[in-house]
Amino acid sequence: MSSPSLTEFLQRNLEELKKNGLFNQINVLQGGNGPLIHIDGRELINLSSNNYLGLAGDERLIQAAEKALRKYGVGAGAVRTINGTMDVHEELETKLARFKQTEAAIAYQSGFNCNMAAISAVMEAGDAILSDELNHASIIDGCRLTKAKVIRFKHSDMEDLEKQAKAARESGQYNKIMVITDGVFSMDGDIAKLPEIVEIAERYDLITYVDDAHGSGVLGKGAGTVKHFGLSDRVDFQIGTLSKAIGVVGGYVAGKRELIEWLKVRSRPFLFSTATPPAIAAACIAALDIMTDSAELQEKLWSNAAYFREGLKQLGFNTGHTATPIIPCIIGDEVKTQQFSKELFEAGVYAKAIVFPTVQKGTGRVRNMPTAAHTKEMFDRALTAYESVKKRLGV
Ligand code: PMP
């Protein structure tokens, strides 16, 4: 039997996705990201970005990037170990370490490759990784790059984590054992139970790894989930992205000096991929300076999120158990959820439907991420749209 050609394989799988409503048609933004965006010539209230503090379009970041463009040019020229590290990269890492209250930090080109880099540089054959079942795809892929045994524990279920940690340690089969969790989970907006996780880790001698992509800049007066719980000296790996609250792009690990030194000699995206453009690093530094100087944007973010969440609740929506500015509006049925998001779009609100397989069957939701840059007037308009779509669809 002859094997299908590449075209046959692609066509068959694309058709399957389209038939099941799982083909994601990507929207093209005309202009930048902010509380208002433009698609197909229409203005929409944007509730789908991770630009939590509104810094992606902030004039201070733009000016810092412009100045750095003139000073350094566009590209870094090489991987950092060869010819690419510039003073601006070093300054970014110094400021990240200060921001996270750790001894040192290392910056990567994205949050995604940061997880691939950090996990695979440390975990090896004979080790085990305990990973929350709802961890981000980049953590899953980072684990796949290692020869360590990956053991999933039930989402934020501390009994299950303890059971698996005990079994793994007592089996005597593993050398290093690591526990990995997101700090804030992006589909429900719930916060990891870090105090319990750290206690279990200390009881069973586990390495602790927290990906705080959605908590950094948001919780702990900006410093993130680990700081929020006062655990800065008890977590080994603090991962963050520069693409969400910071508003630019990139990822980082903050931790002890030896860890960062090791990642600089062993992590593959650092060693084999060209450094972040210097203007990007300069914009990230400007964002960190803004966040360190004042809590104004975080306060605005939280009051905006509370306003919008309360508005949705008053309209009778189920916002699940969110504890952060990620606000799911749980509709349930997949088709209805997709329809709800489409009708919101027609009414001028951009909030994406998230359905199975990204979340469990029957828990389809429209996910909202209010930012510090939204105004009350924008939320009121969005809530009016939610109300009328709810009535029309009988949700
Ligand atoms: N970790 C988590 C928990 C995330 O949500 C994301 C972004 N979706 C990433 C890592 C990847 O970050 P980036 O977009 O900066 O590559």
Side-chain angles (χ1 to χ4, degrees):
M1 204 172 71
S2 69
S3 60
S5 70
L6 174 62
T7 308
E8 281 164 352
F9 164 82
L10 297 173
Q11 281 174 345
R12 179 162 28 86
N13 284 291
L14 284 167
E15 272 161 26
E16 187 73 12
L17 286 180
K18 286 177 187 166
K19 201 174 77 200
N20 294 323
L22 296 174
F23 183 79
N24 187 17
Q25 192 65 50
I26 299 171
N27 289 303
V28 179
L29 303 194
Q30 294 145 336
N33 193 295
L36 297 173
I37 49 172
H38 294 87
I39 296 174
D40 291 337
R42 297 185 47 208
E43 183 178 85
L44 296 141
I45 298 168
N46 181 18
L47 291 167
S48 284
S49 89
N50 299 124
N51 179 20
Y52 293 115
L53 300 179
L55 289 173
D58 190 282
E59 192 52 37
R60 293 163 289 184
L61 272 69
I62 295 169
Q63 276 181 19
E66 273 177 356
K67 210 165 138 206
L69 267 179
R70 290 281 146 223
K71 179 171 175 190
Y72 299 93
V74 181
V79 300
R80 286 182 57 188
T81 47
I82 297 176
N83 192 235
T85 288
M86 296 168 175
D87 50 5
V88 73
H89 295 120
E90 298 278 317
E91 185 186 345
L92 173 60
E93 289 170 341
T94 304
K95 291 207 158 147
L96 282 168
R98 208 174 297 150
F99 174 61
K100 287 280 165 177
Q101 299 179 327
T102 57
E103 288 175 8
I106 175 172
Y108 291 93
Q109 304 88 340
S110 83
F112 201 103
N113 79 10
C114 173
N115 275 326
M116 312 255 274
I119 301 169
S120 63
V122 170
M123 301 308 281
E124 52 197 353
D127 293 341
I129 302 172
L130 298 160
S131 179
D132 187 292
E133 64 182 347
L134 294 192
N135 277 343
H136 187 257
S138 54
I139 295 176
I140 297 169
D141 288 5
C143 292
R144 281 185 186 148
L145 285 177
T146 76
K147 292 196 170 72
K149 165 90 177 160
V150 180
I151 303 163
R152 297 203 312 169
F153 62 92
K154 290 189 198 132
H155 174 52
S156 274
D157 183 332
M158 294 302 104
E159 241 175 70
D160 193 37
L161 172 62
E162 169 129 34
K163 195 174 93 194
Q164 309 257 27
K166 188 168 189 283
R169 187 50 83 204
E170 287 177 357
S171 74
Q173 279 182 61
Y174 305 112
N175 301 318
K176 301 191 289 304
I177 306 179
M178 176 184 270
V179 55
I180 307 188
T181 182
D182 279 14
V184 171
F185 290 87
S186 59
M187 296 303 148
D188 286 290
D190 53 323
I191 304 174
K193 296 175 184 157
L194 286 190
E196 287 103 313
I197 292 175
V198 166
E199 268 181 31
I200 293 170
E202 288 172 355
R203 207 167 308 137
Y204 297 99
D205 192 17
L206 315 179
I207 300 165
T208 42
Y209 187 111
V210 178
D211 176 353
D212 208 21
H214 295 274
S216 298
V218 174
L219 284 161
K221 296 203 161 62
T225 313
V226 172
K227 167 83 186 316
H228 169 75
F229 287 116
L231 297 167
S232 299
D233 54 350
R234 290 167 71 191
V235 167
D236 297 303
F237 287 74
Q238 290 197 53
I239 309 302
T241 74
L242 299 164
S243 61
K244 301 186 193 297
I246 303 277
V248 193
V249 71
Y252 60 91
V253 183
K256 289 240 156 61
R257 195 163 308 285
E258 299 87 335
L259 170 64
I260 304 308
E261 267 178 25
W262 179 250
L263 293 175
K264 285 191 173 175
V265 294
R266 270 295 175 275
S267 59
R268 295 169 70 82
F270 186 85
L271 295 173
F272 299 111
S273 182
T274 297
T276 302
I280 293 299
C284 293
I285 292 170
L288 287 171
D289 288 345
I290 292 168
M291 287 163 59
T292 319
D293 286 349
S294 155
E296 194 186 323
L297 289 175
Q298 275 111 39
E299 283 161 11
K300 186 84 194 303
L301 168 67
W302 281 90
S303 75
N304 276 355
Y307 184 82
F308 191 61
R309 189 176 53 241
E310 279 319 301
L312 286 172
K313 278 188 176 163
Q314 273 172 23
L315 292 175
F317 285 105
N318 172 8
T319 56
H321 47 275
T322 175
T324 64
I326 298 173
I327 307 174
C329 206
I330 300 167
I331 310 287
D333 177 75
E334 280 72 29
V335 176
K336 221 164 219 183
T337 307
Q338 306 266 25
Q339 188 62 25
F340 204 103
S341 167
K342 254 192 219 142
E343 298 218 6
L344 280 175
F345 187 96
E346 294 310 317
V349 176
Y350 192 67
K352 291 288 266 187
I354 312 237
V355 296
F356 178 80
T358 308
V359 291
Q360 269 179 9
K361 252 204 168 97
T363 70
R365 77 269 324 263
V366 176
R367 188 178 54 165
N368 302 281
M369 284 166 298
T371 73
H374 287 88
T375 62
K376 293 260 169 0
E377 184 271 329
M378 291 175 198
F379 291 131
D380 290 342
R381 272 200 284 148
L383 289 167
T384 305
Y386 261 94
E387 187 175 22
S388 67
V389 174
K390 181 173 190 277
K391 270 197 200 124
R392 204 164 39 252
L393 294 186
V395 169

